[in-house]
Amino acid sequence: MGKTLAAETATRTWPAEGWTRVPFWVYTDPALFDREMERFFYGPSWNYVALDCEVPEPGSYKRSWIGQRQVLVVRHADGDIGVLENRCAHRGARVCWQNKGRVDSFTCPYHQWNFALDGKLQGIPLKRGALGKGGMPADFDTSQHAMKALRVHNEGGAIFATFDAGAPSFADYCGPAMHGYVRRLFGGRALKLLGYNRQLIPSNWKMYIENLKDPYHATLLHSFLITFGLWRADTQSESIPTEGGRHGIMISRNVGKKESDATAEIKRFKSKLELIDTDSVTPMREFDDGKVIGLSLFPSVVLHQQANTLGMRHIIPKSVDSFELAWTYYGYVDEDPALTRLRLRHTNLYGPSGFVAMEDGEVLVECQQGASGYGHRQAVLEMGGRDTEPQDHMVTEVLIRAFYKWYREEMQL
Amino acid sequence: MGKTLAAETATRTWPAEGWTRVPFWVYTDPALFDREMERFFYGPSWNYVALDCEVPEPGSYKRSWIGQRQVLVVRHADGDIGVLENRCAHRGARVCWQNKGRVDSFTCPYHQWNFALDGKLQGIPLKRGALGKGGMPADFDTSQHAMKALRVHNEGGAIFATFDAGAPSFADYCGPAMHGYVRRLFGGRALKLLGYNRQLIPSNWKMYIENLKDPYHATLLHSFLITFGLWRADTQSESIPTEGGRHGIMISRNVGKKESDATAEIKRFKSKLELIDTDSVTPMREFDDGKVIGLSLFPSVVLHQQANTLGMRHIIPKSVDSFELAWTYYGYVDEDPALTRLRLRHTNLYGPSGFVAMEDGEVLVECQQGASGYGHRQAVLEMGGRDTEPQDHMVTEVLIRAFYKWYREEMQL
Amino acid sequence: MGKTLAAETATRTWPAEGWTRVPFWVYTDPALFDREMERFFYGPSWNYVALDCEVPEPGSYKRSWIGQRQVLVVRHADGDIGVLENRCAHRGARVCWQNKGRVDSFTCPYHQWNFALDGKLQGIPLKRGALGKGGMPADFDTSQHAMKALRVHNEGGAIFATFDAGAPSFADYCGPAMHGYVRRLFGGRALKLLGYNRQLIPSNWKMYIENLKDPYHATLLHSFLITFGLWRADTQSESIPTEGGRHGIMISRNVGKKESDATAEIKRFKSKLELIDTDSVTPMREFDDGKVIGLSLFPSVVLHQQANTLGMRHIIPKSVDSFELAWTYYGYVDEDPALTRLRLRHTNLYGPSGFVAMEDGEVLVECQQGASGYGHRQAVLEMGGRDTEPQDHMVTEVLIRAFYKWYREEMQL
Amino acid sequence: MPDNATAPAAVGPDAADSAALRVELRDLYEEIGDLLDDDRVEALPDYFTDDCLYKVISRENHDQGLPAGTIFCDGIGMLRDRILAIRETQVYEPRSWRHFISGVRVVAVEGDTITARANFLVTEAMSDAEPTLFMVGRYLDRLVRRDGRLRFRERLAVCDNHHVRRSLVMPL
Amino acid sequence: MPDNATAPAAVGPDAADSAALRVELRDLYEEIGDLLDDDRVEALPDYFTDDCLYKVISRENHDQGLPAGTIFCDGIGMLRDRILAIRETQVYEPRSWRHFISGVRVVAVEGDTITARANFLVTEAMSDAEPTLFMVGRYLDRLVRRDGRLRFRERLAVCDNHHVRRSLVMPL
Amino acid sequence: MPDNATAPAAVGPDAADSAALRVELRDLYEEIGDLLDDDRVEALPDYFTDDCLYKVISRENHDQGLPAGTIFCDGIGMLRDRILAIRETQVYEPRSWRHFISGVRVVAVEGDTITARANFLVTEAMSDAEPTLFMVGRYLDRLVRRDGRLRFRERLAVCDNHHVRRSLVMPL
Ligand code: FES
Ligand code: FES
Ligand code: FES
Ligand SMILES: [Fe+3]
Ligand SMILES: [Fe+3]
Ligand SMILES: [Fe+3]
């Protein structure tokens, strides 16, 4: 537990060096966390909530999260997808108690108020009382008591929502570069759901944001990636902060196992390591540009395409020092079954047992533990220089610098 | 965890509609919870602590709770019952480490200071030192160092206590209507203890207060009650707020299984459901008025008489988002054993597995979860109109409205 | 959880009686706890961290704690011992993930920055980039990015550290009386590690400080000690507060089983109790002065010598209502194996199952529970009078009075 | 206080505690745990005699000799009614349970009645949360052989839990 | 929904569930738990057939029929590769696990294939913390006899856990 | 590091691990768990030889070869004295324990000495709280047969717990 706000605000001064430093109290202050929820998750941001293939039929729903608020993603009768606050307009009970299902309408268990799929209040039992007594006032206006609906954007099957009526369009929120890469994955092909993985990681959610803006660590930490050439410093790469640092794009290529000058500096490259089942690290070529990609679409999702696995990594902050990371793996309905088979095999890279992701989970926890008690210390972000411009390589922390430049402005720190 | 007080007090404005709305931050703000403990549980309220049959002999004691403070309920040598803070006058250790027992006096385990059953300090080991050295100052006045005793009221075997010397009499605190109904159950017949049930419900304690001021939900949610006619909208009923809304009285009748106009609107009425053992839902007539009753005696207890079960539901807040609900089932010493047998069978309605109470526990948790992250939203209380006057039916939320009218004044919100 | 600071600071007034009273909010206020960490553990105090025999060889390290900060105790190549913050100078990950080990240098797992045993940054992978791109700025000064080292003092094998450059010397911090008794145990003989015990005690850490400044309880509570004459009121004893109350020294003698005038007042003396294996309570004479001793060296350690067991009790606060108590048992390399055997057997007095220490753990928890909800009450400290001068007996609370006199000044309460 | 009235004397390596019976009981206990974990609670009453007493009861009530239980089924009708009520009337959030049984012991064999006991540990997982340690305690049982199968005449699930977290939806 | 496709009919006191087979399976399950607890995961593949399917999978994926797993080994090569990868490439904080197995049951014997299941509860203790209730669930297995020993053709460790706390380092 | 010095070679389907002995040991382990759960700790020493070593020891001490334990009884006298001390001298809040034992294994049989091990999970419930996962670990044992009964010459209860929450009142 961090200190109380009252005790700490006095000492909340960002280091003089600016965005090349990050004070560790950004990971430990509960009051700051609350402000992040308000400004980012509940403010003018577009939050990832689901893939449309998870709610295939009219009436199909799925519970999801935006920050600490639970929402319902629902397929309407017309095929469109809506997002509702999962709470009753009467006395606030969660209306929907299952993670997924299909219904004709929603009935709240407490007093059985009934809501249409779009949230409209359409039934109140005993509205006119019983035995001629009681019931709702004659002037009770049901149209004012719907379940609250959010603004929704469906980008080729990836569903986003915002609580803020004043948020810009999804395209503007992404900006052209990010939007283009999102559409590269969600370009209109029907999606096929392959499954989920979920982790509860006891670290601040921003450490995960940083991890996915840090191509430098990947070429050093992830022995499995490095050894089998799935991500390596000596590969054509790009590190592109966008929208003033809010989002980040990492690009590289799968190049296979080989030694080079760089591997001499990368201790965790294991030249002797040989697999029995080499399919696991031998992707089938899928995208013409030959790229593998990690997109950090602030604040709630990372989209990855690595080897043949495609995934949405939904970031669900739980408290200042923990977040849920929900992985959704998908493919395309019209794809070669052999590709689907490889996608499944390549999921071994990710999730709580993934050859890559497990290490990320482990280091994030160690970073949070390192922050605990040491809020007065600072991280140093000077790899790849001190500026915040896009770079055409991965030996850099530019994405993180750009992010904290933007974060300070938004958070007024 | 809610926000810190400093972060939230600025936004603590009750909705303009007044008592027909409840802002959800009343269930999630830890600072408000602390204020509730001070003003209600530790202030000029009478708190339920035990039944006298739980401490049958001189020296019998039982540990109980008032809010977050543990107390000891003790039978004195003269048969009267006292209530003490369960903490040593020396350095504050809990004096009594068992839930129940019988003693001649209390000895604190730490330094063995000894206290009479009424809390008086009567022994300090090595008070005069050892080998002529040490010990207490000669002027140490043991009469100033008793275990603290509370004011106690014994209403026909139901024991209440208050920390506040300025609290009104128990009768005045109840007011005539509530007092009358309490005496209907505790009219002087000797009590027989049948047992306990205890639940830890992860919701704000006031949600339970509301649940027991909400006859409307009972006729809709509780399929078992409705189907077997133990509580139904189409039955002669009353909903009576008392003492400005502080307490609440719900009255209805057991009418047995039958269909009616109302059951058509009550989806959870199950006309086809038949039990094998019908004793379970066939009460023996016990009270001449034919009523079944739920009394919400603020802040710490609900008294129920339903079918043939009699129970005290002790509300013990643990934190802003959890409370213990301790059920004590009782009968009368002089009653027909066949009635006792039915009481035991009818306890299946209550407790964590009760056909009625289990559903209440479930919806309360869903309400608390619905409040989480959504403190800025509001509940709507317009069933049965918008006023706070007694009503002669159950299709109403008048008891809750009256309660929040009173609560706002007491809490200065 | 206590109240927030904002809610409570208004009521933080020490009782008028002064140091003969302790208000219970000192054990329950999280903001006060934070202040204690800053002023004591991270301020100008010397904190116990390890024994040198735990890190026997160059490169041997051990993780330890000062308050809520984890540190590394490391043996350098020259045999000296250093203490480092266990966090990476780059982005703050814990560098060392094992409790103990031996290394040539430290490599942080995240990006494999490499640090010398004294913390100096000596390697940054891809410092000059890859394929001619990226890497650290040319002017990046590695000498400014070492793992932070603490000031260290090695007192005959007992290792102490401080975060504060302005702290006095260890000798001055102890003062002559305490320093003398520390040197009585750590006088230069090589130490032999016998093992650890660790408890998590759900009470405020100061309750343990008090417990070890409270010889009065020991002669009343600890039946095993009393009965077998290991600690008794009717024995030549001393209770010496030092350095204005910061530290405390308790001295007594092992006198064996016998009855006396005092045992009549000590109910927990069990004259009939006989052991089968009397070695367990029959110490071999070891120190010429015949004393057994408990040293409370504020804030982080109690040193004990009782029967033939020698131990360091490391106090590691975890939150306002819990602390870890880490016991390290040791002997001397050159001692008689028969003495070592007795040391091991006498460890049954201590740790979470110890015949003495188990009772202390139990009463401490009961004191914390007694404080919960009762922060407005006060402990009374008048045994042995009301002053704070050294006393030549154990029927006294003088050490605790002196401590709170000093504490109030330091904490400005 | 040792559990089961006849326990202290009969416990220990004793002729009554035949290895075969213990094996049979272990299988029986695990079979019941399995059907409860597998959402087939309808099969539970088949393991009871018509005049059975089935209670889930706290150690608090049990040790004080108080008769009320958390689940109180006095006869097979009440047990079947309870299952019907769970299925047909109750509203609750979906969750999973797992039973872990250890230490099955024959306490006594007297006439046709076998007195037995075992420890249970039941985990509960809500559909969106991790499993938790839910209910822990001891079965105190009396069984008789009917139609070649062992059936419970009395089963007390005595729970160490001072309180139940949220709700106890299913029999233990 | 009951687990294992063939389960409901075959469960209960049934000829298929021979006592000897159940004993053999219990020993096998505990042997595997023991080798995992004892840091000898290299021995695990020896209990599988070459064409095995080994998955750790959440109840969420399993109940929805979604193929992805937390650990997904389609063939013994992938299982051996995983163990190699854990040993040679992975960075993780040291910890200890303990397996508790209960309710081993034979669900069906069809031809040479034995369908079986059991509950597992695995605790995890970091080197500087208390053990926690880590993973709880049910093994759903298909075994065949090869060279006189039972081997898994399919082992699904279906976890009640909605999420994994931190990381699942080792197979279950 | 695998536990028990002689373990790695002897583990696995081995003649030493006779089915009958394993059954006997399981019964013995559960019998001891039962007597501890049932507040009959006085019976514990009867399962030990006169020259026994009984220790409850953390994995931390055990793995580093450090001799100190949490409970250290070097000979049956110390074991009996400890029980006497618990009963006659110790002040502690009342609580209940339940033992869950899994994975009982014979590691080796050499001469008259049986080396065995098993996992334990012990829950603790204070009289006013829910049960908690208290101590988890592994018994590492050496037994000999005396007067026809197996007795422990050495029992180490090696706990995964880095620390004990509050107090360990009773032997494990
Ligand atoms: S809270 Fe939903 S209907 Fe009342
Ligand atoms: S605290 Fe009770 S006697 Fe000292
Ligand atoms: S955090 Fe240690 S090397 Fe980057
Ligand atoms: Fe990574
Ligand atoms: Fe209800
Ligand atoms: Fe003590």
Side-chain angles (χ1 to χ4, degrees), chain A residues 35-47 66 69 151 161-170 172-174 246-247 297-299 406 410:
Chain A
R35 210 190 295 173
E36 290 169 350
M37 292 303 105
E38 291 295 333
R39 305 230 171 154
F40 299 135
F41 289 86
Y42 313 148
S45 307
W46 284 96
N47 295 280
I66 297 177
R69 295 184 182 167
R151 280 177 67 197
T162 180
F163 285 101
D164 192 331
S169 72
F170 179 75
D172 285 352
Y173 180 77
C174 288
R246 179 161 61 192
H247 309 307
L297 178 42
F298 190 81
W406 177 81
E410 294 291 314

Side-chain angles (χ1 to χ4, degrees), chain A residues 103-308:
Chain A
V103 290
D104 293 321
S105 63
F106 294 106
T107 300
C108 175
Y110 204 167
H111 310 86
Q112 282 114 56
W113 285 25
N114 179 268
F115 302 90
L117 295 178
D118 64 0
K120 234 179 255 99
L121 174 57
Q122 59 187 15
I124 299 182
L126 302 176
K127 190 178 177 184
R128 295 290 154 248
L131 305 177
K133 294 173 177 173
M136 294 303 276
D139 64 353
F140 184 79
D141 181 359
T142 54
S143 74
Q144 298 303 305
H145 297 276
M147 289 170 72
K148 305 270 184 215
L150 282 74
R151 280 177 67 197
V152 178
H153 179 84
N154 181 339
E155 184 69 52
I159 313 299
F160 294 81
T162 180
F163 285 101
D164 192 331
S169 72
F170 179 75
D172 285 352
Y173 180 77
C174 288
M178 175 61 81
H179 198 216
Y181 277 109
V182 172
R183 295 172 79 148
R184 177 173 170 276
L185 294 164
F186 296 99
R189 291 169 73 187
L191 306 175
K192 178 162 63 180
L193 180 64
L194 298 181
Y196 305 101
N197 256 320
R198 296 176 193 276
Q199 302 175 253
L200 189 78
I201 298 182
S203 89
N204 185 272
W205 67 284
K206 293 190 301 299
M207 287 186 174
Y208 195 71
I209 296 282
E210 290 175 37
N211 183 269
L212 268 294
K213 290 182 187 261
D214 178 10
Y216 170 59
H217 91 273
T219 189
L220 292 169
L221 171 61
H222 298 311
S223 198
F224 195 90
L225 282 189
I226 305 160
T227 301
F228 299 108
L230 299 172
W231 189 272
R232 272 173 46 170
D234 55 354
T235 309
Q236 190 193 340
S237 308
E238 290 170 84
S239 303
I240 312 171
T242 77
E243 300 307 297
R246 179 161 61 192
H247 309 307
I249 300 169
M250 295 197 306
I251 301 169
S252 190
R253 278 150 182 84
N254 295 155
V255 293
K257 192 176 166 190
K258 60 167 188 188
E259 295 191 51
S260 78
D261 288 356
T263 54
E265 250 190 282
I266 299 173
K267 290 196 196 136
R268 291 176 52 69
F269 175 84
K270 307 263 176 167
S271 62
K272 302 236 172 61
L273 195 70
E274 300 288 350
L275 297 187
I276 297 167
D277 189 323
T278 51
D279 268 13
S280 303
V281 292
T282 312
M284 188 180 279
R285 187 170 177 101
E286 184 176 6
F287 288 87
D288 287 342
D289 57 14
K291 295 174 179 175
V292 295
I293 284 175
L295 306 176
S296 175
L297 178 42
F298 190 81
S300 65
V301 70
V302 169
L303 301 83
H304 80 252
Q305 167 240 336
Q306 167 60 287
N308 292 120

Side-chain angles (χ1 to χ4, degrees), chain C residues 333-353:
Chain C
V333 168
D334 59 4
E335 77 194 13
D336 183 348
L339 179 55
T340 306
R341 181 173 167 277
L342 281 183
R343 291 204 201 287
L344 287 171
R345 299 184 131 221
H346 296 174
T347 56
N348 280 299
L349 294 173
Y350 294 122
S353 300

Side-chain angles (χ1 to χ4, degrees), chain D residues 139-172:
Chain D
Y139 292 122
L140 301 184
D141 298 326
R142 290 187 202 275
L143 300 98
V144 290
R145 208 172 285 279
R146 291 281 180 273
D147 311 326
R149 282 177 51 202
L150 288 175
R151 287 176 201 263
F152 293 90
R153 179 172 276 164
E154 181 176 313
R155 160 155 273 200
L156 305 183
V158 181
C159 301
D160 291 349
N161 301 56
H162 177 253
H163 50 256
V164 173
R165 203 164 349 105
R166 196 166 169 171
S167 312
L168 177 68
V169 175
M170 284 287 167
L172 291 175

Side-chain angles (χ1 to χ4, degrees), chain F:
Chain F
M1 187 182 51
D3 287 320
N4 295 52
T6 51
V11 163
D14 189 286
D17 189 350
S18 88
L21 181 55
R22 194 189 280 207
V23 167
E24 187 181 2
L25 281 169
R26 271 192 195 140
D27 285 354
L28 176 68
Y29 279 46
E30 295 200 338
E31 194 170 306
I32 293 174
D34 182 73
L35 72 87
L36 291 170
D37 291 348
D38 208 35
D39 199 20
R40 291 179 286 113
V41 68
E42 283 78 2
L44 184 66
D46 298 343
Y47 293 85
F48 285 76
T49 64
D50 288 352
D51 62 346
C52 68
L53 176 69
Y54 171 79
K55 284 207 245 182
V56 175
I57 184 168
S58 64
R59 175 156 280 275
E60 180 181 26
N61 280 352
H62 186 255
D63 285 357
Q64 294 180 37
L66 297 170
T70 301
I71 298 180
F72 182 100
C73 295
D74 181 13
I76 203 164
M78 285 187 83
L79 186 53
R80 292 195 191 280
D81 287 346
R82 172 161 282 267
I83 292 160
L84 187 74
I86 297 170
R87 293 298 197 207
E88 296 295 321
T89 72
Q90 293 296 293
V91 166
Y92 54 90
E93 202 180 304
R95 58 258 261 178
S96 304
W97 301 274
R98 298 284 160 238
H99 283 66
F100 297 84
I101 311 267
S102 191
V104 177
R105 301 191 61 68
V106 180
V107 175
V109 179
E110 290 164 302
D112 72 337
T113 302
I114 297 156
T115 306
R117 68 177 177 231
N119 287 353
F120 62 84
L121 180 164
V122 180
T123 62
E124 179 176 87
M126 307 309 282
S127 71
D128 59 358
E130 284 180 279
T132 59
L133 190 63
F134 182 49
M135 303 300 292
V136 176
R138 190 170 260 200
Y139 291 122
L140 302 184
D141 298 326
R142 291 186 202 275
L143 301 97
V144 290
R145 209 172 284 279
R146 291 279 179 275
D147 311 327
R149 282 177 52 200
L150 287 174
R151 287 175 200 262
F152 293 91
R153 178 172 276 164
E154 181 175 312
R155 161 155 272 199
L156 305 184
V158 181
C159 301
D160 291 349
N161 301 57
H162 178 254
H163 49 256
V164 173
R165 201 165 349 106
R166 197 166 169 173
S167 312
L168 176 69
V169 175
M170 283 288 167
L172 291 175

Side-chain angles (χ1 to χ4, degrees), chain C residues 88 90-93 108 110-113:
Chain C
C88 183
H90 178 214
R91 299 232 311 268
C108 175
Y110 204 166
H111 310 85
Q112 282 114 57
W113 286 24

